[in-house]
Amino acid sequence: MTRAGLIRLGLIVALLVALEVLVKIGRIDALTMQAPHKMALDLFTMLKSGKLNKAIAKTMGNAGFAFVIAVSLGVLAGLVIHRLRRLRETLDPLFATYYAIPVFAFYPLLILLLGLGDAPQIFIGVMLGFVAVVVNTLNGLDRVPRVLLKTARVNGMNPLETALKITLPSAAPYILTGAKFAVAYSLIGVIGAEFIMSTGGMGYEISFAYNNFDNATMYPLIILILAVSITINMVISHWEKSLLKRRGLQ
Amino acid sequence: MTQPHIRLTDVEMTFPRPDGVGEGIHALGPIQLDLRHGEFFAVVGPSGCGKSTLLELMIGLTSPTKGSITFEGQPINGSCPDGIGVVFQEDASFAWLTVRDNIAFGLRRMALDRREQDERVDKALAMMGLVEFADAYPSQLSGGMRQRVCIARTLVTEPRLILLDEPFGALDQQTRLLMGDEILSLWRKTGATIFLITHALDEAAMLADRIGVMSSRPGQLIDIVETHWPRDRDSRIVEQDAFGAVTARLWRSLRVESMKAIGKKEASS
Ligand SMILES: Nc1ncnc2c1ncn2[C@@H]1O[C@H](COP(=O)(O)OP(=O)(O)O)[C@@H](O)[C@H]1O
Ligand SMILES: [Mg+2]
């Protein structure tokens, strides 16, 4: 492990120990926050009992679905927008300000439009992740060396073949960066939407537990979300790094 | 065979200015040029005189503003005919593929059985001195080696006309001479026509049957030098007196043009 990595790990451990101690000596009361070791134990019991499996499966399924749609639509849109100069010039400023929009403000409207099922939750997840994928795909496509496009033309490749064999592989590291954002955004979108208005899922369960002072459910769920999000993020980062390294970029 | 392999008639290229106003940039021409079947033709000229532009016209990447180009009797318009292979001036290796897959790239698109493809790739790896690097990625290679990957990728498709744009630019002098020998032996073996752009006069003098000298922009052919070398020549030709005479003549034709290219006048020398 690198020096910086060791320091990071030390910092996290120190925080956990501090929290443990503060709860133990009563500086933080147990109704607000639980000791870290208790959260871990609760998480274990919760997963073992299986009582929240349905909620976990629903949230992860919806977030995964939102992620897949955001990435595939985002890459496709990126390819199209990249070819249409005018459209690009029109959309660029919109992309730049997109994340200033509080997407959740539209949630009630989405429920009116899409009904009370999972659709509006997935939609929010897609809306959040999609633009990050588009912007990063465009960034990657902008960096495809011109000589590679000439090579494609000399080989008589049509636009689809050029995209699949030249431009997308060339832009892959940047697309992965977009995908990394999409993981976080689809989780944020789906869980956030469950918080506001829904009848199931991890967001709903957290909010329900909160209202019932059920810390033994709330904290393990929060930890589970953190763990899943960070793990997926790390896997993609690792992949991204190995791609960049293979290209001598890192 | 009386028909030339490729024929350029009154070819001119004018690029529009980026802002769209004014006359445009007259980059090239008019050019008249016939390449004979199986000859080794080199082009030298000051940088920016339109050599790469000429190459892009010959493969149909850009269409000439005036004039026409025919390859094996067929006009070239808008797409690169089968039978022409190109190595660009810039590094065109694919960073996401291994050296072997890079070289096989064009072959995979051809209707050849897999064994034949693999054999050709192995031969090209050996010829370009890349055997140990077959499974490496381009980023692990030097610039010169990456250029060799691109040359190999073009050669394996066995084109009848091979266009090379300053392919040895990133190589040191010794490797350049040896690569020249490889190109010569390949040329003899395949019988292909070769069109080589270079900025190195000695390279042109050593390799080519004929050398076209281009003026500064707008590039025109101001001299064509015949070397009369035997077909089974190699880099040892540089020891001969005749070699010195060829390079001297090239330099005489080019000196004034090269000074123009760097903004000097004859009088100030
Ligand atoms: N796509 C283009 N648009 C405008 N000008 C160009 C373009 N390509 C080349 N040129 C101009 O044409 C001239 C010749 O360029 P090039 O053929 O690359 O020269 P060389 O290969 O001999 O160094 C240069 O002045 C260059 O700026
Ligand atoms: Mg050039």
Side-chain angles (χ1 to χ4, degrees):
Chain A
M1 197 182 271
T2 60
R3 210 187 138 84
L6 279 174
I7 294 175
R8 260 196 305 273
L9 192 68
L11 214 60
I12 293 170
V13 171
L15 273 174
L16 287 175
V17 169
L19 201 59
E20 187 79 42
V21 170
L22 285 175
V23 175
K24 193 107 210 157
I25 62 174
R27 287 298 291 265
I28 298 177
D29 84 81
L31 276 179
T32 314
M33 178 72 107
Q34 301 216 295
H37 84 270
K38 174 110 191 347
M39 294 183 195
L41 284 177
D42 288 345
L43 176 61
F44 184 73
T45 336
M46 185 186 88
L47 288 176
K48 210 172 141 203
S49 77
K51 66 179 164 128
L52 286 176
N53 279 3
K54 228 180 102 190
I56 295 169
K58 170 185 180 288
T59 300
M60 293 303 165
N62 285 351
F65 192 43
F67 168 77
V68 170
I69 296 177
V71 171
S72 38
L73 278 188
V75 170
L76 204 66
L79 280 170
V80 171
I81 295 167
H82 188 74
R83 287 180 69 90
L84 305 173
R85 219 196 146 88
R86 276 281 166 70
L87 184 64
R88 172 85 185 266
E89 279 164 9
T90 314
L91 290 179
D92 264 344
L94 295 182
F95 290 150
T97 50
Y98 183 79
Y99 286 100
I101 302 171
V103 174
F104 284 107
F106 298 109
Y107 191 55
L109 180 69
L110 289 177
I111 290 182
L112 282 179
L113 291 174
L114 300 171
L116 249 179
D118 292 357
Q121 295 154 32
I122 296 168
F123 194 87
I124 286 256
V126 173
M127 268 179 86
L128 277 174
F130 171 73
V131 170
V133 178
V134 175
V135 168
N136 282 284
T137 302
L138 284 173
N139 183 22
L141 293 177
D142 286 343
R143 288 162 198 266
V144 178
R146 275 174 48 98
V147 69
L148 298 190
L149 302 176
K150 289 188 203 169
T151 305
R153 279 189 58 195
V154 167
N155 277 284
M157 297 166 77
N158 62 35
L160 180 66
E161 247 187 314
T162 306
L164 292 179
K165 290 192 177 155
I166 307 271
T167 43
L168 288 180
S170 178
Y174 299 93
I175 296 173
L176 274 186
T177 306
K180 221 164 56 177
F181 281 112
V183 171
Y185 280 137
S186 50
L187 273 171
I188 292 172
V190 168
I191 293 170
E194 286 170 354
F195 262 106
I196 303 172
M197 223 183 281
S198 78
T199 53
M202 293 167 88
Y204 168 82
E205 296 294 346
I206 289 175
S207 148
F208 188 83
Y210 169 78
N211 287 326
N212 291 290
F213 305 101
D214 181 7
N215 282 352
T217 305
M218 184 173 90
Y219 283 111
L221 277 175
I222 294 174
I223 289 179
L224 186 62
I225 290 169
L226 277 177
V228 168
S229 174
I230 291 171
T231 307
I232 298 176
N233 197 287
M234 274 166 62
V235 168
I236 298 184
S237 281
H238 185 80
W239 188 11
E240 192 185 11
K241 265 210 188 102
S242 74
L243 272 192
L244 286 174
K245 201 169 154 205
R246 182 182 293 170
R247 293 175 192 207
L249 292 173
Q250 218 170 55
Chain B
M1 234 174 283
T2 47
Q3 186 195 58
H5 203 174
I6 190 163
R7 162 168 281 177
L8 289 82
T9 317
D10 302 322
V11 169
E12 280 192 62
M13 188 65 209
T14 304
F15 289 107
R17 289 192 184 275
D19 48 14
V21 294
E23 294 240 311
I25 302 160
H26 188 188
L28 184 76
I31 296 255
Q32 318 282 347
L33 179 65
D34 282 0
L35 296 193
R36 301 169 197 144
H37 275 272
E39 83 169 317
F40 198 132
F41 192 95
V43 171
V44 292
S47 70
C49 75
K51 301 183 295 295
S52 297
T53 305
L54 177 61
L55 175 130
E56 296 198 0
L57 292 169
M58 290 167 76
I59 54 178
L61 268 187
T62 33
S63 298
T65 338
K66 286 201 191 116
S68 66
I69 303 172
T70 55
F71 171 67
E72 297 175 348
Q74 301 296 317
I76 290 180
N77 38 21
S79 69
C80 182
D82 283 341
I84 300 186
V86 201
V87 177
F88 291 107
Q89 187 170 5
E90 304 87 5
D91 172 21
S93 60
F94 302 134
W96 57 94
L97 296 179
T98 61
V99 167
R100 178 184 295 281
D101 290 338
N102 259 283
I103 296 176
F105 187 83
L107 271 183
R108 298 276 183 261
R109 307 172 40 76
M110 295 167 69
L112 276 175
D113 72 88
R114 188 63 184 235
R115 256 226 352 262
E116 163 82 19
Q117 294 188 4
D118 292 345
E119 269 168 24
R120 286 199 198 179
V121 171
D122 286 337
K123 246 173 37 194
L125 281 168
M127 193 175 115
M128 289 290 136
L130 292 166
V131 175
E132 304 139 77
F133 299 97
D135 299 314
Y137 286 90
S139 68
Q140 296 164 274
L141 309 181
S142 68
M145 286 161 85
R146 283 205 284 269
Q147 198 58 304
R148 267 139 71 189
V149 172
C150 296
I151 296 174
R153 189 170 71 197
T154 300
L155 295 184
V156 288
T157 63
E158 299 186 350
R160 297 186 293 281
L161 170 63
I162 303 170
L163 310 176
L164 301 144
D165 195 351
E166 306 201 13
F168 308 138
L171 303 183
D172 59 79
Q173 182 74 15
Q174 302 86 289
T175 317
R176 218 136 57 87
L177 290 174
L178 294 178
M179 287 312 293
D181 280 343
E182 289 297 347
I183 296 282
L184 279 174
S185 91
L186 172 106
W187 168 66
R188 269 192 301 274
K189 264 187 264 170
T190 61
T193 310
I194 292 190
F195 179 87
L196 171 85
I197 294 172
T198 173
H199 58 255
L201 303 187
D202 56 344
E203 193 173 290
M206 159 186 146
L207 295 171
D209 295 316
R210 290 196 299 157
I211 302 150
V213 181
M214 270 170 83
S215 67
S216 54
R217 205 188 75 205
Q220 297 177 358
L221 287 168
I222 50 173
D223 194 7
I224 290 186
V225 181
E226 296 245 11
T227 59
H228 304 292
W229 303 140
R231 198 169 162 81
D232 63 349
R233 58 188 176 258
D234 63 27
S235 56
R236 282 170 296 181
I237 211 143
V238 301
E239 299 159 15
Q240 296 187 12
D241 292 343
F243 177 82
V246 170
T247 37
R249 167 142 172 219
L250 291 176
W251 181 231
R252 213 177 310 128
S253 304
L254 258 179
R255 188 163 167 272
V256 178
E257 297 302 326
S258 305
M259 283 195 291
K260 275 190 216 155
I262 60 169
K264 265 195 187 175
K265 288 201 193 72
E266 171 76 336
S268 69
S269 61

